[in-house]
């Protein structure tokens, strides 16, 4: 019975934290201070890619923005198909939700205690940078997702079967 309560409480905590993130999205939270500015600065690249991929890439190449262009390509492609910036940002918010899950999997490999792993992974929901980047679709969460995924595949390679596929996936995400 205690195990069922723990599982129920975990789901409830994640659901509450998810709803706080949705509220942040609706209120355009910018608790880190710079995410909104970054999004507005880079929005022209997203629009350019959504209108014409080649011209968008040329614009990025000519202006040399400070961020890695994968984020612009992802958001521009989403915008091209969805036709609504708000929906593209909403999907990106949900892509950001993968980070705590992968982080949990990484901690669970190293620590083995599910309760501690869970508590450490949900701390990410309280981070102003994670929240702002999820709400404003900036490059931070996408970079974090790729980095934490590379760590996950490294840990899988190191602690479990030493399959060569894990090395290839580690290199891809890194």
């Amino acid at each position: 019975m205690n195990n069922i309560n723990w599982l129920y409480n975990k789901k409830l905590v994640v659901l509450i934290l998810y709803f706080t993130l949705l509220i942040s999205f609706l209120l355009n939270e910018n608790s880190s201070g710079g995410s909104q500015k970054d999004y507005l600065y880079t929005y022209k690249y997203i629009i350019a890619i959504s209108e014409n991929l080649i011209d968008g890439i040329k614009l990025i190449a000519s202006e040399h923005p400070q961020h890695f262009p994968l984020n612009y390509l992802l958001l521009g492609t989403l915008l091209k198909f969805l036709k609504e910036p708000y929906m593209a940002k909403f999907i990106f918010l949900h892509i950001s939700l993968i980070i705590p899950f992968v982080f949990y999997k990484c901690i669970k490999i190293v620590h083995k205690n599910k309760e501690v792993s869970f508590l450490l992974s949900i701390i990410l929901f309280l981070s102003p940078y994670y929240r702002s980047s999820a709400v404003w679709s900036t490059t931070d969460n996408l970079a974090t997702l790729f980095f934490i995924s590379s760590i996950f595949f490294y840990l899988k390679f190191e602690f479990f079967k030493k399959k060569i596929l894990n090395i290839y996936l580690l290199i891809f995400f890194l």
Side-chain angles (χ1 to χ4, degrees):
M1 185 70 177
N2 190 18
N3 196 17
I4 293 172
N5 286 339
W6 171 248
L7 182 62
Y8 174 75
N9 289 338
K10 278 185 6 181
K11 288 180 181 180
L12 184 63
V13 167
V14 170
L15 190 62
I16 290 169
L17 290 171
Y18 171 69
F19 280 126
T20 64
L21 203 56
L22 285 179
I23 291 168
S24 296
F25 181 77
L26 294 173
L27 297 176
N28 288 324
E29 175 186 332
N30 188 23
S31 53
S32 69
S35 295
Q36 182 180 14
K37 181 181 171 189
D38 279 351
Y39 178 77
L40 295 175
Y41 170 75
T42 60
Y43 190 67
K44 66 181 173 183
Y45 304 121
I46 296 166
I47 292 294
I49 288 172
S50 72
E51 291 172 352
N52 185 327
L53 179 64
I54 302 301
D55 290 341
I57 291 173
K58 286 179 182 177
L59 177 66
I60 292 170
S62 68
E63 292 191 7
H64 307 290
Q66 299 173 352
H67 301 103
F68 191 68
L70 180 63
N71 198 53
Y72 313 139
L73 292 170
L74 176 66
L75 286 170
T77 304
L78 285 173
L79 185 59
K80 181 176 185 153
F81 292 110
L82 298 174
K83 307 289 186 221
E84 180 61 45
Y86 202 72
M87 288 304 295
K89 283 177 53 182
F90 188 71
I91 288 175
F92 189 86
L93 175 96
H94 286 83
I95 291 170
S96 296
L97 290 172
I98 300 170
I99 295 170
F101 176 73
V102 176
F103 188 55
Y104 168 75
K105 292 289 197 180
C106 289
I107 296 171
K108 197 170 82 169
I109 290 172
V110 175
H111 198 276
K112 305 286 188 221
N113 185 326
K114 290 182 181 180
E115 289 81 15
V116 172
S117 301
F118 174 74
L119 291 173
L120 288 174
S121 65
I122 63 169
I123 289 174
L124 290 174
F125 281 99
L126 305 176
S127 167
Y129 294 99
Y130 169 78
R131 296 176 71 82
S132 292
S133 183
V135 168
W136 288 100
S137 307
T138 60
T139 58
D140 304 343
N141 278 1
L142 194 59
T144 302
L145 178 60
F146 274 85
F147 182 66
I148 197 77
S149 297
S150 71
I151 291 172
F152 173 71
F153 287 109
Y154 168 75
L155 292 172
K156 278 184 69 171
F157 177 79
E158 190 66 31
F159 284 88
F160 299 117
K161 297 176 183 169
K162 304 214 182 270
K163 292 185 179 179
I164 197 72
L165 177 64
N166 289 328
I167 293 296
Y168 289 131
L169 290 170
L170 176 152
I171 292 168
F172 172 76
F173 283 108
L174 189 58

